[in-house]
Amino acid sequence: MSDYSERDAQREVSELEKKSATAARLFDIRRIIGGLFVIYGVIVTIAGITASDADLDKAGGININLWTGLGMLALGLFFLAWLWLRPLPVTEPPAEEHPPPTAE
């Protein structure tokens, strides 16, 4: 007989489920999209703040970089707020009413 019992197998399965849930939360698409939009939004907003008169003339007098950067920041913050307000549900494995009998 092996030293590996049913209880050990159940413990390993529950540990793997916890690791899987942690990985799912870490790689949630809302976190990735929100983070990228915030980073790019900051960069584009800075480019809009430091725009020259020649750049504004090219765009017909509208500071496109500033408005696009602020829009990207707003969208990125929306995704991050959505992640914070509605996290992924954590599914718990069903608890057994009776532990399995051990063969001794």
Side-chain angles (χ1 to χ4, degrees), residues 42-77:
V42 168
I43 293 169
V44 174
T45 301
I46 291 171
I49 292 171
T50 61
S52 67
D53 290 335
D55 292 334
L56 294 176
D57 289 339
K58 287 181 191 176
I62 299 172
N63 197 341
I64 294 175
N65 284 339
L66 180 63
W67 289 109
T68 303
L70 291 175
M72 292 173 78
L73 275 172
L75 183 64
L77 292 174

Side-chain angles (χ1 to χ4, degrees), residues 9-30:
Q10 289 176 351
R11 189 173 343 137
E12 280 191 34
V13 167
S14 66
E15 288 175 9
L16 288 173
E17 286 175 346
K18 288 177 187 176
K19 287 180 184 179
S20 175
T22 302
R25 281 192 300 273
L26 181 63
F27 294 109
D28 189 356
I29 193 72
R30 296 174 294 180

